[in-house]
Structures are given as C-alpha cells and as structure tokens.
Amino acid sequence: MESDPPVNIQMQPEYFDIPLDDMDMDTEQPTKRRKKKSTVWEHFTIVNVSEEIRKACCKHCKHLLSYVNGPKVSGTSHLKRHVTRCLRNQNHDSSDRLTPKTPKIPKLDRPKRRYRRTTASTAFNPATCRQEMARMIILHDYPLEMVEHPGFMAFVRNLNPGFEIGNFGRIQGDCGATYLKEKERIWNLIEGMPGNISLTLDLWNSSHTTGYVFVAGQFIDSDWKMHRKLLNVVMEPYPDSDSAFSHAVSACLSDWNIEGKLFSITINQPVSDSGLDSLRNLISEKNSNVLNGQLLLTDCLARSLTFIAHCAINAGQETVKKVRDCVKYVKTSESLEEKFVALKQQLQVMSTKSLSLDDQTQWNTTYEMLVSASELKEVFSCLDTLEPDYDKIPTLEDWKVIDNLCTYLKLLYNTANLLTSSSIPTTNMFFHEAWKIQLELARASTSEDDVISNMTKPIQENFDKYWKNCCLVLAIAVVMDPRFKMKLVEFSFTKIYGEKAVSYINTVDEGIHELFSKYAGLPLPLALLNGDSGIGDSGVVKQEDDAGVGGLGNELGLMDFDVFIMESTSQQSKSELDQYLEGSLLPRIHEFDVMGWWKLNKNKYPTLSKMARDILMIPVSSVGPESVFQTGVKEMDRYRCELSPEMVEALFCAKDWMRCEGAESMESNVKMEFPI
C-alpha cells in the first residue's frame, strides 16, 4: 500500500486560513477614507470581523488575511505575496484544464525581502551512508559495536527507516574497506618518494600483557615536502624480548616494500644491547648509507626529556607537594581565591601569572604550576593573614629549591615545546637546543652551591646518555643547515669539551665525509672491475695492436685519458661537500626554510642535496604532539585488545591517514633564531 505523498507546508506568520461561513461579514466598502493607492486592492475587499478587527478578503480564493487589529495596521507586503502566489496557482489549474488563454500575473510593487536559501535535495544512497558511517567510527574512535546499540539503531531508523545499519561484522568489513582504500593512496605516495625513509617505534602496553609497536614513517616527496604517516601497528606477544622491535621493523619493510630505503630508526624506550645490535644490523643490511648503523637514534627526544623532568620533579617531591597543596588550597575555594587576588593587588605583585592546578600525567602542567606559584610567593607568604589556621606555607629555602628546579626544567620545557608544533620539525633544529642543555647542566652539576649541584647532577647524568647516543646525527644535521655548517659544531664542542673538543669535531667531520662518499660513489667501468686499467705493473701505458678509433689511440693515449676523466669526475663529485663547507654562512633569519634552500640548490649540489634530504628528515621524536609531555606509558584499551590485530592496525592507521587528508604535506620552516 502506497503512502500519501508528503505535503509541503510553508508557514507564513501573517497568513490565516479562516472559513468565511463562521464570520459575520460586512462586504460594504468603508466610506470617507482616503483612496488606497496600492494596486493590491484591486484583488482584495475589506471585511469587518469585529469593531476593532478588519480583514482583507482575497477576491480569487476568498481567504482572509490580517489588515487592521485595533490601532495596529499590518500593511500590504503580505497581501502582495499572497496575490502573486494565488494567481500562480490559478494559472497552474487553468493550464491543467487546457484553457486557450491564461490571465497574466500583474506586476505588483514587490517589497524588499529576505529569501531563504535552500539546497537541492539529493537521492538517498545507502552505500555512501555506510562509507561515511565507517569513516565516522574510525575518526572518532567509536566502538564498532555501536551499530548494534538500541539507541543508535532507533536514531538512524528515525532518520531513514529504509537504511539497513547492519551488524558488527558488516561495519568491520566497511572499516576494513576504508583502510584499504586509504592505504592505496599512501602506497602511491611512498612509492614516489625519491629518497629514503626513517621509522619511529612507539611501544604501547596492554592489560593482556601483549604489546603493540606503532611504526611510523617520515620521508620527503619529490617536491621536498615532509610527510609523517603511521604505517603499521604490530602486535608483539612478548614486548620485552630483544627481537620485538626488529620484528616490527621487518614486518613494516616487507608490508610497504621499502627494504632498500630504510635510513634510520627512532625508539621511545631503552633497548638492551642485543636488541640494539639486532636493529643496527637490520639497518646496515637494508641500507649501507648509514655509517654501519651509527645514525640509529636509540632514544626518542620527547621520552628522554619527559623521563629527565619526571626524575627531577620526583627528586624534590616534598617541596613540590608543599607548593601543590598551597595552590590547591587557594584554587578549591572561590572566596579564598578572590581574597588571594585582592592581596596580590594590595602587595603590588607585578606577575601576570595566575594559579593553576597541575595534571601529574603531563609534566609541563607541573612546571607551569611551579612557575606561577614562584612568581606569587610573596602573596603566599602572607597567606596566613587570610587564613591563620593554614600553616603549610613553603619556607624561603623551599622557594629557593623551586626557583632552581624551574630554571633547569625550563631548558627541557622549551626544547620539548618545539615538538608540539603542528608542522614537522627538521632535525637541524634540535642540535642547538641539545648542546645548550648539555652545557648548562654540566656547569650546574659542578657548581659550588650544593643545592644546585645535588639537584642537577642526576639530571645531567640522564641527559648525558641521550647526548652521547644522538650527538652525531644532530651534529651532522646542523652541518646541513647553510647558516651554521661546521662552525656551530666547532663552537659548541669547544664550549662543552674544552681541550678535548678537537677529537669530537674530527669525528663529526669524518662521519660527514664518509657518508658523502657513500652517496657520491660511482660504479667503476667494466674494464677496471676486471683489473684491466690499461697500465702495466711498471706504470707504463700498455700498447695496443691497432691504432684505436681514428688511428689516434697510441698517439694520444686515449685509454689513459679515460682513466683521467673517470678520476676527475669522481673527484669533482666528492668535492661538493668541501665546496659547500668552505662557502660563506647564510644570515641567521627567522622562518628560514632549510628544505626550500636545498630544493633551490639541488642543481648546484646534486649529490649533497640527496644526502641533506635524508638527514634533515630523521625524526627526533617517536610520539605525536599531543603526547610530548605525557609521563605515563601508553596502554591499549580493553576494547581494542579484543579485536583482531589486523583490525586494530586498520583502525589506527586509517584514522591517521584521514586526519591528515587535505594537508598531505607540511612545510618545516625554522621559526627560531640561533644566537651565538
């Protein structure tokens, strides 16, 4: 049985459909009134409904419209709209009856009005709805079981009763199809990259004692734009084993067919010596251009800074707790907070900071709480005037500890803050930050002030581990910055190591030249590979039986000439690095685009630009901007642990790819000044 067609109802606030039979009407036109000038009155008569109410009656359809209600006059705009609509309907009816002639709609004085914008309706497409529902579930981390929830089913049924939502298995298939579609797009992007790729490894725990290794890839496309994509989520039954990370890397390389393009790996946690050797061997086996695995970053910068900051805060936890309790005491009472602000104004404390409670799972919030409290310590010292019973106010010695702690936490905080940028930072940005931290902590740990030395010594020891592991790759990266080259390495190492700096500087210089020689290596001619150089044991050029091409072989020594050309060409290629290093430094300007500079100079330095492209895209962090300050270890929730490993990978990877859709590549501009 077919249902009735939907009725299109347009509500007009001035339109009232009142039957004429229910009213006592006087159709006589009122007298002694000025003549109405509007042409609309050719289509209406005035009807007296009561002593104070008069209506305008349409001569065509007999509908009554508001005209006069006591002292209020409605005007004629709504009457003109009604006439236009009424005559149009009559014309439509007359055309249906095939009348030979239809009356023309008179041109009325149309008032200015606002028109509602309407969008064209589209046909309902169940397939499109299923695709969009799968994308919604992936993007917002909704559980797949939501399609079977009664509330969601009722909601969708009211939107369109004809749409079949399906069950858990169906939406799982739709999400898998979305993942495969997005993967094809990423596959084409990776396949077209001209250089190598670097990987980051981030290990998540789970309540099932299994682990999940998140493998992300960072690379540069042919337009010198940097990309960071989550490639795989590999479940590891034994995450503490030495082979867990190497297995995840091998699975990623095989899945994306990038075995020969692996350049470096960044890991988010310490690895055993055997596990580290396994990864180094894997890199060296897949790609020989990485100094036998020396560019393997064993530490994620974000995780290292978080670990060091967390240790520093825990070392002074008693004093930190005193300050936290004071802040909590003020912030949890609205009246006391108002008194605190008034006292601050009375004492004329110039700080613009406001008190804030910290989230102990994000160490930056603890740092910010300590900084604001330290600037307001004068107000806290007078807190007993507001609350005589409160006796937990920090002492002057406590505030000294907090001030020193904030001084050295600021070094870590500023560096970590660079990792929270929405753009992908290039590797050269972090050498300056790292050597500055190393220098300041080394000075503080040997300070004559016991409070400072005792506080900073464990911080310096922990950061020194990161510096030793990552110093080489950070130094090589900053050499690829035309504003600094080897000069900043020489300057900073002299500050840090003093008389021993020469050996460290030579290590960087030798590493750069060795790496460049791998990139500049040219295949030898077949004759030389067979041991036939055209030169005898005594160094005399061998004579040929014939004269060679054009009879000039013996006279001009063209075989010797070929060797000369080969050697000079090779020497010219290898000298690119020296030409670059000997050139003058560029001015240190803000928003310098180092990738853009190498793109413009790739013809001048064809080999060196390829090396710079691979080095500058090495990731220093394995976590996203939202997790830079997170102190705890990430853990897979119970719901996802119940899914198959393939489905977990599909959901996480597809979300990452779709979230970056529309912003496939991001420029990495250096937005800082490096003072020397």
Side-chain angles (χ1 to χ4, degrees):
M1 180 177 179
E2 297 183 357
S3 59
D4 296 333
V7 180
N8 185 16
I9 301 176
Q10 296 184 353
M11 298 297 295
Q12 297 288 347
E14 66 276 9
Y15 187 98
F16 300 94
D17 188 2
I18 305 176
L20 298 181
D21 296 339
D22 295 343
M23 298 185 181
D24 181 15
M25 297 186 302
D26 181 8
T27 57
E28 185 177 356
Q29 293 284 353
T31 58
K32 295 183 180 180
R33 294 182 182 272
R34 69 182 181 85
K35 184 177 179 180
K36 295 178 173 53
K37 297 181 180 180
S38 177
T39 57
V40 75
W41 294 109
E42 297 177 5
H43 305 275
F44 287 93
T45 59
I46 303 300
V47 177
N48 294 324
V49 179
S50 64
E51 293 183 358
E52 296 183 352
I53 300 176
R54 286 194 284 276
K55 300 282 187 178
C57 179
C58 178
K59 295 180 181 180
H60 306 286
C61 64
K62 305 304 180 183
H63 283 301
L64 296 179
L65 284 83
S66 59
Y67 175 52
V68 176
N69 188 354
K72 184 178 178 181
V73 180
S74 299
T76 60
S77 297
H78 64 295
L79 303 180
K80 295 174 183 178
R81 291 194 294 269
H82 173 81
V83 171
T84 303
R85 184 169 57 251
C86 184
L87 293 180
R88 186 184 295 113
N89 292 338
Q90 287 189 358
N91 291 341
H92 180 72
D93 295 340
S94 62
S95 63
D96 291 343
R97 293 192 296 267
L98 300 177
T99 54
K101 187 177 181 181
T102 57
K104 295 182 179 180
I105 300 176
K107 293 183 179 180
L108 302 177
D109 300 332
R110 297 183 181 274
K112 293 182 179 179
R113 59 169 294 183
R114 295 179 180 177
Y115 293 92
R116 269 183 204 174
R117 294 182 178 179
T118 58
T119 56
S121 60
T122 57
F124 173 68
N125 190 330
T128 302
C129 290
R130 285 178 53 190
Q131 293 174 7
E132 291 302 319
M133 186 166 63
R135 292 175 65 88
M136 174 193 72
I137 289 175
I138 293 172
L139 280 172
H140 302 290
D141 295 325
Y142 295 142
L144 299 180
E145 289 88 350
M146 71 174 293
V147 297
E148 297 178 352
H149 293 173
F152 182 73
M153 295 173 66
F155 170 72
V156 175
R157 193 177 298 113
N158 277 280
L159 290 178
N160 192 314
F163 179 54
E164 296 182 5
I165 303 176
N167 54 16
F168 174 84
R170 184 172 181 178
I171 193 59
Q172 187 172 231
D174 291 341
C175 290
T178 301
Y179 160 74
L180 293 176
K181 181 180 179 181
E182 293 294 324
K183 186 174 183 178
E184 183 179 1
R185 180 172 60 88
I186 304 301
W187 179 281
N188 294 332
L189 186 63
I190 292 178
E191 192 176 29
M193 66 180 183
N196 295 314
I197 187 170
S198 291
L199 301 180
T200 66
L201 307 179
D202 188 14
L203 178 64
W204 290 29
N205 294 333
S206 74
S207 59
H208 291 184
T209 69
T210 57
Y212 292 84
V213 180
F214 284 66
V215 185
Q218 194 156 299
F219 57 94
I220 296 175
D221 63 16
S222 57
D223 197 33
W224 289 80
K225 304 298 182 183
M226 192 179 298
H227 300 263
R228 180 184 175 89
K229 304 293 181 185
L230 179 62
L231 301 181
N232 294 95
V233 179
V234 183
M235 190 193 76
E236 292 295 336
Y238 307 100
D240 296 330
S241 65
D242 295 335
S243 60
F245 283 118
S246 58
H247 171 260
V249 172
S250 297
C252 175
L253 298 179
S254 176
D255 186 25
W256 293 91
N257 193 26
I258 51 176
E259 287 88 350
K261 294 188 175 183
L262 177 61
F263 190 76
S264 71
I265 300 175
T266 305
I267 314 173
N268 78 326
Q269 68 177 33
V271 184
S272 64
D273 292 338
S274 58
L276 198 58
D277 291 339
S278 176
L279 283 171
R280 280 203 174 101
N281 293 335
L282 181 63
I283 293 181
S284 300
E285 177 186 350
K286 301 301 182 183
N287 193 335
S288 60
N289 287 347
V290 288
L291 302 180
N292 296 322
Q294 293 184 65
L295 297 189
L296 172 66
L297 295 183
T298 58
D299 297 319
C300 162
L301 178 58
R303 288 290 186 233
S304 298
L305 295 176
T306 295
F307 175 76
I308 297 170
H310 189 61
C311 291
I313 293 172
N314 285 342
Q317 59 182 344
E318 293 183 3
T319 308
V320 172
K321 187 178 184 302
K322 281 186 180 181
V323 176
R324 181 182 290 119
D325 289 342
C326 283
V327 174
K328 190 187 303 182
Y329 184 75
V330 173
K331 290 293 293 182
T332 54
S333 172
E334 185 175 350
S335 60
L336 186 57
E337 187 174 6
E338 293 176 355
K339 294 178 182 179
F340 188 88
V341 173
L343 183 59
K344 172 188 172 183
Q345 296 175 348
Q346 181 180 350
L347 296 173
Q348 297 182 351
V349 177
M350 302 304 295
S351 173
T352 59
K353 300 285 186 181
S354 58
L355 296 179
S356 60
L357 295 173
D358 66 324
D359 176 4
Q360 296 184 50
T361 64
Q362 301 281 336
W363 70 267
N364 60 313
T365 63
T366 302
Y367 164 73
E368 291 165 354
M369 177 200 69
L370 296 177
V371 170
S372 60
S374 178
E375 292 190 11
L376 297 170
K377 57 178 172 283
E378 185 179 353
V379 185
F380 277 109
S381 64
C382 300
L383 190 60
D384 55 352
T385 61
L386 303 177
E387 297 291 326
D389 296 334
Y390 189 74
D391 57 354
K392 298 181 180 180
I393 300 174
T395 63
L396 292 178
E397 290 298 321
D398 292 333
W399 287 119
K400 182 179 179 181
V401 171
I402 295 299
D403 289 341
N404 289 329
L405 181 60
C406 290
T407 298
Y408 297 103
L409 283 179
K410 183 179 180 181
L411 296 172
L412 310 179
Y413 175 81
N414 290 341
T415 302
N417 226 20
L418 296 175
L419 299 171
T420 62
S421 172
S422 58
S423 60
I424 305 175
T426 48
T427 318
N428 62 299
M429 293 178 61
F430 296 95
F431 177 80
H432 181 75
E433 298 297 317
W435 83 262
K436 185 170 57 176
I437 294 176
Q438 178 72 6
L439 178 63
E440 293 298 328
L441 292 178
R443 288 175 175 174
S445 62
T446 57
S447 173
E448 296 180 356
D449 190 329
D450 293 338
V451 176
I452 295 178
S453 61
N454 292 335
M455 175 186 297
T456 56
K457 190 169 294 183
I459 301 177
Q460 193 270 336
E461 291 175 355
N462 286 318
F463 189 80
D464 192 55
K465 296 177 183 178
Y466 175 83
W467 175 255
K468 288 180 179 179
N469 290 332
C470 305
C471 173
L472 178 61
V473 67
L474 295 179
I476 293 178
V478 83
V479 172
M480 295 296 100
D481 189 331
R483 298 171 298 170
F484 303 106
K485 302 182 181 179
M486 280 295 296
K487 297 299 182 183
L488 184 57
V489 175
E490 295 168 0
F491 173 83
S492 58
F493 280 11
T494 302
K495 291 284 188 181
I496 296 173
Y497 300 112
E499 296 178 355
K500 299 179 181 179
V502 176
S503 62
Y504 292 97
I505 295 172
N506 290 338
T507 300
V508 176
D509 186 69
E510 292 171 2
I512 293 175
H513 281 83
E514 181 181 347
L515 185 61
F516 177 76
S517 65
K518 300 267 180 129
Y519 276 85
L522 298 176
L524 294 175
L526 183 59
L528 295 181
L529 292 176
N530 294 332
D532 184 9
S533 62
I535 304 177
D537 295 337
S538 62
V540 181
V541 179
K542 295 180 181 180
Q543 301 295 322
E544 297 183 359
D545 295 337
D546 54 13
V549 180
L552 298 178
N554 294 333
E555 296 178 8
L556 299 182
L558 293 183
M559 286 298 295
D560 194 15
F561 176 72
D562 291 339
V563 175
F564 168 77
I565 292 297
M566 181 194 68
E567 291 179 347
S568 62
T569 303
S570 177
Q571 183 63 31
Q572 184 178 3
S573 298
K574 292 181 181 180
S575 66
E576 272 186 40
L577 176 59
D578 294 326
Q579 292 176 18
Y580 167 76
L581 294 177
E582 293 170 3
S584 58
L585 301 180
L586 293 184
R588 298 194 306 275
I589 59 174
H590 288 276
E591 300 186 2
F592 176 73
D593 184 2
V594 64
M595 285 296 184
W597 187 88
W598 281 106
K599 178 183 178 181
L600 292 175
N601 290 271
K602 63 182 179 181
N603 292 330
K604 182 178 181 181
Y605 304 109
T607 302
L608 189 60
S609 63
K610 295 177 182 179
M611 188 177 95
R613 179 181 58 202
D614 287 340
I615 291 174
L616 292 173
M617 63 84 184
I618 295 177
V620 298
S621 174
S622 64
V623 299
E626 70 282 353
S627 303
V628 169
F629 296 101
Q630 185 174 342
T631 56
V633 178
K634 290 184 178 180
E635 184 169 323
M636 189 71 68
D637 57 68
R638 185 177 299 274
Y639 152 68
R640 286 186 175 83
C641 288
E642 299 294 338
L643 299 175
S644 66
E646 294 78 13
M647 198 66 229
V648 172
E649 181 177 73
L651 293 175
F652 275 102
C653 290
K655 177 184 178 180
D656 179 77
W657 302 336
M658 291 190 298
R659 188 171 52 184
C660 297
E661 191 175 359
E664 289 294 333
S665 59
M666 293 180 286
E667 295 183 0
S668 301
N669 292 336
V670 179
K671 298 183 178 180
M672 57 163 61
E673 190 75 12
F674 294 85
I676 295 180

